[in-house]
Amino acid sequence: MKPELNYRIMTTVAEMIEVEELQRIVWADKNISPVTQLIAAVHNGGVVIAAFHEDRPVGFCYGFAGFKDGKAHLCSHMLGIAPEYRDWGIGEKLKWEQRKWAIAYGYDKMTWTYDPLETRNANLNLNKLGGSVRTYIEAYYGEMNDGINAGMPTDRFLLEWDLQAKRVANREQGISNERSEWSEYPRMLDWELFHEQPRPVARQAQTDTAGILLSVPANIQAMKQEHLQLAKEWRFALRKACQTAFSEGYEVVGLLKSEQTVHAYVLKRSPKGE
């Protein structure tokens, strides 16, 4: 049984120093948001929330104020967990705490980016939190040389989290978004085995159906270590498939998990209000 954690909204310089130190543990001194930036953000519509175990911060999330199309939203920029705590469900809990704060502050939407090839993040963002994606951004951060991003274009999904949407409220209550019909959708991006590794295979576009599936490797980091060129094939194949699907009015609403080495993104037409 995992010990109980507590979650705190961080506001002081001393607390931000703790968060900066935690970042160095999580990302090995790379891509750090410094104390000065964190303090400025929380005084201007942003928030930093940390998870504590035995009075030690072991996870955090950080968001700042964003503005688009005449409306404010919370841009959730960072979420990190100390390595030994990554299977404790802290990331999901931090997002729900962030949502609670955001609603109380007056926001009705949050956004953040994540790598479309990282299915663990996809499962959290789509299946557990009820977010959706309709924007694909190529090489969002340019070239990055950290252990997670090295060697690959830094493409990102823009995740949109409508904080008051029915599907989000359902996820908070533990109501799943699994749908029996998902597995019946046609695959616009399929896969085949290549030297015991999955290779992407584009199929003829099916843009007149209620839903489509786009295959995605279950463990892109392992593939990068063993077959970097194949991982790049997946990057470019998924990029093209998503851009085509989004231009036809589809958006990503879930991840169909599999016992095989490949999962699949679920895309549907305008599922607003689900």
Side-chain angles (χ1 to χ4, degrees), residues 140-154:
Y140 186 57
Y141 293 111
E143 292 187 11
M144 298 178 69
N145 295 315
D146 59 73
I148 295 176
N149 296 286
M152 296 274 283
T154 55

Side-chain angles (χ1 to χ4, degrees), residues 136-263:
Y136 191 103
I137 309 171
E138 296 184 20
Y140 186 57
Y141 293 111
E143 292 187 11
M144 298 178 69
N145 295 315
D146 59 73
I148 295 176
N149 296 286
M152 296 274 283
T154 55
D155 291 14
R156 294 294 184 265
F157 271 163
L158 177 66
L159 193 289
E160 299 182 47
W161 205 23
D162 293 321
L163 303 180
Q164 304 283 16
K166 181 180 177 181
R167 67 169 174 257
V168 175
N170 284 345
R171 302 307 174 268
E172 187 179 27
Q173 298 299 317
I175 301 172
S176 172
N177 66 340
E178 290 293 335
R179 301 286 190 271
S180 59
E181 73 271 17
W182 283 4
S183 61
E184 303 302 318
Y185 292 155
R187 287 193 183 237
M188 194 170 116
L189 181 62
D190 210 335
W191 64 282
E192 63 185 9
L193 282 178
F194 171 76
H195 295 300
E196 300 184 354
Q197 291 288 332
R199 164 170 276 173
V201 178
R203 302 297 185 196
Q204 185 174 356
Q206 304 256 357
T207 57
D208 58 349
T209 61
I212 57 176
L213 299 177
L214 302 180
S215 298
V216 58
N219 191 338
I220 192 62
Q221 292 301 324
M223 181 181 290
K224 283 175 61 178
Q225 294 297 318
E226 299 174 12
H227 301 280
L228 180 59
Q229 189 57 42
L230 188 56
K232 288 182 178 180
E233 284 188 37
W234 274 105
R235 170 67 85 214
F236 298 128
L238 187 60
R239 174 195 288 180
K240 183 176 180 180
C242 286
Q243 291 173 336
T244 299
F246 292 162
S247 72
E248 296 291 337
Y250 289 93
E251 64 180 297
V252 182
V253 297
L255 182 75
L256 185 63
K257 300 181 73 175
S258 167
E259 295 299 322
Q260 297 176 302
T261 58
V262 174
H263 300 324

Side-chain angles (χ1 to χ4, degrees), residues 49 61 74 93-105 107 110 129 161-165 168-170 172:
I49 302 174
C61 62
L74 184 66
K93 178 63 175 175
L94 280 167
K95 298 307 296 185
W96 291 119
E97 290 290 327
Q98 196 176 33
R99 173 180 178 263
K100 181 169 64 176
W101 178 91
I103 291 173
Y105 196 84
Y107 293 114
M110 285 174 54
L129 298 178
W161 205 23
D162 293 321
L163 303 180
Q164 304 283 16
V168 175
N170 284 345
E172 187 179 27

